[in-house]
Amino acid sequence: MKKIALFFFLLFWIQLSHAQQKEKYSFTYTNTKITKVLSDIEKAFDVKYSYADSIVASQKITLPKKQYSLTEINAEIEAQSSLQVVKINDRFYSIAKTETKENIDKTYALKEVIVEEFLAKGIKKTDQNYILYPQKIATLPGVTDADILLSLQQLPGVKSPNETATGLHIRGGTSDQNLILLDGIRLYHPGHLFGMISSINPNVEQTVNYYNKAVNPKFGERVSSIIDIKSTDKIADKTKINAGINALNADAYCQTPLYKDKLGLQVSARKSYTEWLQSPTFNQLENKVFQHTNFNNFDNDNQFQFYDFSTKLNFKPNDKTAISVTGLVINNDLDYKTVIKTDSITNQKMNIKNYGFGLNWCQKYSSNFSQKLQLFYSVYNFDYEKRQEYQTNKFEAYKKLNRVVDSGLELNYGYTLNEKFNIEFGYQFLGNDISHLLNSYNQDVAIDLNLKHRYNVTQVGYVFFKQDFGQWSLQPGLRYNYYSKIKADSFEPRFLVQNKLSEALIWQLSYERRSQILSQVRENAANDLSLENYVWILSDNEKYPIQKANQFTAGIIYKSNGWLLDVDSYYKNITGITSFTLGFLSQNDTSIHHGKGFTKGVDVLLQKCTQTWRAWTTYTYQDSQNKFEDLNGGDYFQANSSIKHSINVAVNKKWNNYLVALGWFWHSGKPYSAIDDDGQITSYNSETLPNYHRLDVSGSYEFKNKRGHTFKIGVSVYNLYNRNEIISKEFERKYSNIADITKSRYSMQNYYSLKITPNVFLRINL
């Protein structure tokens, strides 16, 4: 009986999916705006069009009164305008200018594009996430070469309190609570120059999917955001080269076919030249990064350098099979010597490396059923040594090692019953192996200050549905994690509900639960490298519990006549945090306090766009509070990175081949704890730093030569009016006498913002 019912159910949906092409409706228009025509078509045929308001706002159409099918009316739109209607599937269509049809990405099956150009060209918003195309992103204020992580900071609710590219704090989360993937490879150090720029080459042809709520249950492992980067699977029809240089590094990217339409290769490389030439840009970043350290004079002997390299091989033996292999290496090196006395030399060396590979196999068994298999292996190595030599046979040294090895596989299946219903389910097998060593030694003896080695295997099952009912869209999902080593599990339900109240207004509601067993903790031994005093550790479910978070969101999206209003409110709570995972206390405090926290807030975007200019403002309200056992009497207090109010105002303008962007950024100050004259903490994060603000500007000029090669030159200035403000205060434990060993006393250190920092770039596409 069940089989018969299922047969009739399938037959009903199949008939429904084909019915719309046979249906005809009566339309008549006289010099009517295409936006009105598209709205009527969507209601009549139950389809959806995605487009940028700026390209259709001025277009009009005239239709004599008669019966039209969907195919016929789409053809009329193309015939009477400079637009192309591109079919994504039976329900979703995309509209673009005629000359850009080949650039339409047809990967939006069952993922509706709500906003075609969010903030800038090259950034879209769907019903599930934000999508960035770094190579296509228009100039953003203060951003050079469309740096991926800096570009994300332009979005509402994404902040970096310490002005780094990698220190993303999203809706009360910390940077280690963001999962960053590149073709499945886990990234644990996604930055260069101590996080000031992204280590992901933005000039590679790739797509960045950013999720901050109701995440598809195939994603887990972190409790804040997901940044899923996918390099292109396309096989180039000819060799293409993209190369460039800026004030810090040079890079090149090449795509070439090895066998027509079957086999293609991509290679990218980026290398700093800071070890040979220290530009004004590098000097400004250096001054900001190495505050309160003895690194103050980089030259050809005292060097900092970085590079990243990636390659991808795409193989498509037929239309239903796609196989790719990706390799990645990210490397940062520091080598610095200081002469302290005539007979004493201190040498500090650091190497941070993140490398790995990913294998992806996609198989389409039919038009409705597909399979994806992913294998990945990722390694993060941190190696730091401070060595002070007094004589040839006497020395003192401190060494810090941190190693993370991630490996696993994912098997994913997708079944599309029709354009309104989709199901996705799969299994994951994930392994984590994490160790760290803090060691002090000399020519006679070595002492391990801290040594840990843990591993875990996680097995995951998940399922995700998407069903559209008229103007409603339902997206429920469930993820189950079993952590074998610590014998713990986690059920994680997730759902998103969307209702299109009118052609201009959309309402959304979502909930998600997520968990995390990896985190960064502040080390309990001092070194001179204040920005790198964290180590990755694995939860033991006792000293370091599993972090678990729940998030509820509700919001609206309104768009009409080039205007866009996006409002999203949220409430998040988290358990399993510790004072070390938040870096709350001094790096010399060995006490670990367990706690919990909550964040409530709202993100607002107001945007107006035309064909030649775009202006937007964002506002974020956020209240993040934590409480820990034995701290502050067990009461809640402000989280370290809590920034209650944040406002961005920006505009970009295009004149022919010129593009200029200007942005002003303001936020209220971070909280900090007060100490008395004796160096004792008197209140926890009860004081607030001064308000922060800066003005950024960027400009670019693009042109082609007679051979069709594209050249782009540009300049950006960060903090144009050179405001230098305190952005954080950190404790340092004092050891002035013997009593300080048993009784904690602290001094306060001020860390200042980045001063005016110019950058220039040149790009060539061959």
Side-chain angles (χ1 to χ4, degrees):
M1 190 70 183
K2 291 182 179 179
K3 292 183 178 179
I4 296 174
L6 179 61
F7 171 77
F8 282 108
F9 179 72
L10 291 170
L11 183 62
F12 168 76
W13 282 109
I14 292 171
Q15 290 176 338
L16 185 63
S17 65
H18 291 286
Q20 65 174 350
Q21 292 301 327
K22 298 178 182 179
E23 292 176 345
K24 289 191 175 185
Y25 293 93
S26 177
F27 296 98
T28 178
Y29 299 106
T30 303
N31 201 29
T32 304
K33 287 187 175 182
I34 284 184
T35 51
K36 173 66 169 62
V37 177
L38 294 176
S39 176
D40 292 344
I41 297 173
E42 288 180 331
K43 291 178 181 178
F45 292 99
D46 192 19
V47 296
K48 292 182 181 294
Y49 292 89
S50 63
Y51 53 85
D53 292 337
S54 59
I55 68 171
V56 302
S58 61
Q59 305 277 351
K60 295 182 179 181
I61 190 174
T62 298
L63 293 178
K65 185 176 182 179
K66 72 169 193 174
Q67 298 282 322
Y68 292 90
S69 68
L70 180 59
T71 302
E72 290 171 341
I73 202 166
N74 282 338
E76 287 290 343
I77 291 174
E78 292 183 337
Q80 297 187 39
S81 68
S82 59
L83 303 174
Q84 281 277 11
V85 181
V86 180
K87 182 177 179 180
I88 297 171
N89 59 33
D90 287 337
R91 187 163 188 251
F92 292 98
Y93 293 80
S94 181
I95 295 195
K97 291 183 179 180
T98 302
E99 65 272 16
T100 60
K101 179 181 179 181
E102 67 275 11
N103 292 328
I104 297 298
D105 190 340
K106 298 186 180 182
T107 62
Y108 292 119
L110 297 172
K111 184 182 285 189
E112 180 186 0
V113 178
I114 297 176
V115 182
E116 191 75 21
E117 294 183 1
F118 193 94
L119 299 186
K121 180 181 178 182
I123 304 177
K124 303 177 186 288
K125 182 175 182 178
T126 76
D127 54 358
Q128 298 172 337
N129 64 311
Y130 297 87
I131 303 175
L132 287 75
Y133 301 90
Q135 280 196 323
K136 300 178 182 178
I137 291 179
T139 301
L140 292 170
V143 178
T144 304
D145 268 2
D147 184 290
I148 291 174
L149 299 183
L150 289 176
S151 296
L152 283 174
Q153 292 179 28
Q154 306 275 334
L155 298 175
V158 184
K159 301 302 172 190
S160 179
N162 291 326
E163 288 191 318
T164 61
T166 58
L168 300 182
H169 288 63
I170 298 169
R171 295 190 168 182
T174 53
S175 59
D176 64 317
Q177 294 172 345
N178 303 316
L179 177 63
I180 303 179
L181 307 169
L182 176 59
D183 288 343
I185 303 170
R186 274 63 177 165
L187 301 185
Y188 287 88
H189 190 77
H192 289 312
L193 195 55
F194 293 91
M196 294 305 295
I197 63 173
S198 166
S199 62
I200 306 153
N201 191 337
N203 300 298
V204 174
E205 188 175 342
Q206 56 199 342
T207 303
V208 181
N209 290 275
Y210 162 65
Y211 303 81
N212 64 358
K213 65 179 181 181
V215 175
N216 187 311
K218 70 180 179 181
F219 295 113
E221 305 175 57
R222 302 292 189 275
V223 296
S224 189
S225 75
I226 306 294
I227 302 171
D228 183 26
I229 306 166
K230 296 181 182 296
S231 56
T232 182
D233 292 326
K234 296 178 182 177
I235 297 175
D237 54 359
K238 63 179 181 178
T239 299
K240 301 177 182 178
I241 298 175
N242 181 334
I245 188 171
N246 60 38
L248 295 173
N249 58 257
D251 71 273
Y253 172 56
C254 177
Q255 292 177 283
T256 186
L258 301 179
Y259 188 87
K260 186 177 180 181
D261 298 330
K262 300 292 184 183
L263 189 64
L265 178 67
Q266 305 170 39
V267 178
S268 76
R270 179 167 52 164
K271 175 73 174 70
S272 68
Y273 53 80
T274 53
E275 63 271 35
W276 307 306
L277 175 64
Q278 293 78 45
S279 66
T281 304
F282 175 78
N283 291 334
Q284 291 293 71
L285 295 175
E286 169 204 341
N287 293 335
K288 194 270 181 186
V289 167
F290 297 111
Q291 297 179 66
H292 301 293
T293 72
N294 60 1
F295 304 112
N296 53 21
N297 185 25
F298 283 88
D299 52 31
N300 293 343
D301 294 322
N302 293 321
Q303 298 180 353
F304 181 86
Q305 57 182 306
F306 61 82
Y307 68 83
D308 54 75
F309 173 83
S310 68
T311 184
K312 184 172 184 178
L313 186 68
N314 289 316
F315 176 51
K316 295 184 178 180
N318 53 59
D319 293 338
K320 296 183 178 181
T321 304
I323 300 172
S324 66
V325 179
T326 303
L328 172 71
V329 178
I330 297 168
N331 190 80
N332 287 261
D333 277 307
L334 173 73
D335 189 347
Y336 198 94
K337 291 182 180 180
T338 306
V339 178
I340 300 178
K341 298 179 181 179
T342 56
D343 61 345
S344 176
I345 297 176
T346 298
N347 186 205
Q348 299 190 65
K349 293 184 178 182
M350 182 208 69
N351 175 257
I352 306 176
K353 182 174 289 186
N354 202 161
Y355 62 91
F357 74 86
L359 170 67
N360 289 273
W361 168 36
C362 299
Q363 185 68 46
K364 192 172 184 180
Y365 294 106
S366 69
S367 59
N368 295 337
F369 186 63
S370 62
Q371 169 196 289
K372 296 179 182 179
L373 174 66
Q374 182 179 91
L375 302 174
F376 71 89
Y377 178 79
S378 177
V379 177
Y380 164 80
N381 271 327
F382 180 96
D383 188 343
Y384 168 77
E385 182 183 50
K386 179 182 179 182
R387 185 183 180 98
Q388 187 166 349
E389 297 183 354
Y390 300 99
Q391 298 175 6
T392 55
N393 60 346
K394 289 186 178 182
F395 67 90
E396 291 181 354
Y398 167 78
K399 192 172 187 66
K400 171 184 170 182
L401 303 174
N402 191 198
R403 179 177 172 88
V404 180
V405 179
D406 261 8
S407 58
L409 66 85
E410 177 182 356
L411 190 59
N412 173 283
Y413 293 96
Y415 180 72
T416 302
L417 185 61
N418 54 47
E419 68 274 9
K420 295 185 179 182
F421 178 81
N422 180 65
I423 181 173
E424 189 177 344
F425 57 94
Y427 168 78
Q428 297 172 354
F429 185 87
L430 310 173
N432 308 113
D433 188 326
I434 301 181
S435 59
H436 72 265
L437 168 67
L438 307 179
N439 180 264
S440 180
Y441 61 98
N442 58 29
Q443 69 279 354
D444 298 319
V445 65
I447 301 174
D448 290 341
L449 304 175
N450 199 319
L451 172 63
K452 285 185 174 65
H453 181 198
R454 293 194 181 103
Y455 66 90
N456 180 71
V457 172
T458 305
Q459 298 194 60
V460 180
Y462 63 87
V463 63
F464 171 75
F465 298 89
K466 179 167 182 181
Q467 174 73 66
D468 291 340
F469 299 96
Q471 302 303 315
W472 287 89
S473 177
L474 306 179
Q475 301 176 36
L478 177 66
R479 179 183 177 94
Y480 173 73
N481 306 288
Y482 178 69
Y483 308 109
S484 61
K485 183 63 177 177
I486 56 179
K487 297 184 177 359
D489 60 9
S490 174
F491 284 94
E492 300 176 4
R494 304 170 190 182
F495 73 82
L496 183 145
V497 179
Q498 177 177 293
N499 180 234
K500 194 170 185 180
L501 300 174
S502 68
E503 294 307 315
L505 185 61
I506 297 173
W507 168 83
Q508 286 187 335
L509 180 73
S510 77
Y511 165 76
E512 67 174 3
R513 179 184 298 166
R514 286 197 266 164
S515 62
Q516 176 171 339
I517 61 170
L518 289 165
S519 59
Q520 282 184 307
V521 300
R522 195 163 191 172
E523 69 181 58
N524 58 6
N527 66 70
D528 289 342
L529 223 50
S530 61
L531 284 182
E532 295 297 340
N533 54 8
Y534 285 82
V535 295
W536 285 97
I537 60 100
L538 191 61
S539 170
D540 57 9
N541 212 21
E542 294 178 357
K543 188 177 182 180
Y544 295 104
I546 299 174
Q547 297 181 30
K548 296 183 178 181
N550 298 276
Q551 182 181 203
F552 304 84
T553 75
I556 61 168
I557 300 172
Y558 176 81
K559 60 174 186 175
S560 178
N561 297 323
W563 285 96
L564 170 66
L565 175 65
D566 187 346
V567 181
D568 202 34
S569 60
Y570 56 90
Y571 176 83
K572 180 194 290 187
N573 59 55
I574 184 170
T575 60
I577 59 176
T578 71
S579 54
F580 266 30
T581 56
L582 295 187
F584 176 72
L585 296 179
S586 162
Q587 60 187 8
N588 301 294
D589 189 325
T590 58
S591 301
I592 297 178
H593 305 274
H594 293 177
K596 61 182 180 180
F598 71 84
T599 299
K600 56 184 177 181
V602 60
D603 297 330
V604 181
L605 166 78
L606 179 63
Q607 174 179 289
K608 172 64 177 177
C609 63
T610 69
Q611 291 184 345
T612 59
W613 63 269
R614 181 186 310 271
W616 66 88
T617 182
T618 67
Y619 168 74
T620 295
Y621 168 78
Q622 178 184 298
D623 180 15
S624 296
Q625 298 186 35
N626 299 320
K627 75 172 182 177
F628 300 92
E629 56 191 28
D630 304 325
L631 291 181
N632 200 42
D635 295 330
Y636 278 99
F637 55 88
Q638 289 294 311
N640 280 359
S641 59
S642 181
I643 296 176
K644 283 204 168 182
H645 303 281
S646 176
I647 298 173
N648 299 347
V649 180
V651 61
N652 66 28
K653 171 68 177 176
K654 185 176 182 180
W655 292 276
N656 298 319
N657 295 335
Y658 293 92
L659 184 63
V660 175
L662 185 71
W664 185 70
F665 303 84
W666 176 95
H667 65 70
S668 54
K670 286 172 53 179
Y672 68 94
S673 299
I675 59 176
D676 58 22
D677 294 337
D678 294 327
Q680 301 295 311
I681 298 176
T682 59
S683 62
Y684 291 87
N685 283 353
S686 60
E687 306 295 325
T688 304
L689 292 173
N691 295 336
Y692 168 94
H693 57 86
R694 72 175 194 270
L695 181 67
D696 298 343
V697 63
S698 298
S700 64
Y701 174 68
E702 187 172 352
F703 63 95
K704 288 186 178 182
N705 64 10
K706 294 181 179 179
R707 295 184 177 182
H709 300 157
T710 301
F711 296 80
K712 187 176 182 179
I713 57 176
V715 60
S716 66
V717 181
Y718 185 95
N719 193 5
L720 183 64
Y721 48 66
N722 200 27
R723 182 177 173 85
N724 193 216
E725 190 60 78
I726 298 175
I727 58 175
S728 69
K729 288 177 176 282
E730 294 190 14
F731 293 125
E732 179 177 330
R733 189 167 176 178
K734 299 170 68 174
Y735 289 96
S736 301
N737 51 57
I738 296 177
D740 290 336
I741 298 176
T742 57
K743 186 178 181 180
S744 302
R745 292 194 309 131
Y746 301 93
S747 63
M748 192 80 77
Q749 291 183 328
N750 295 332
Y751 287 82
Y752 289 84
S753 60
L754 181 63
K755 293 183 178 181
I756 182 171
T757 305
N759 203 343
V760 294
F761 70 89
L762 168 66
R763 299 220 60 81
I764 303 173
N765 284 282
L766 305 177

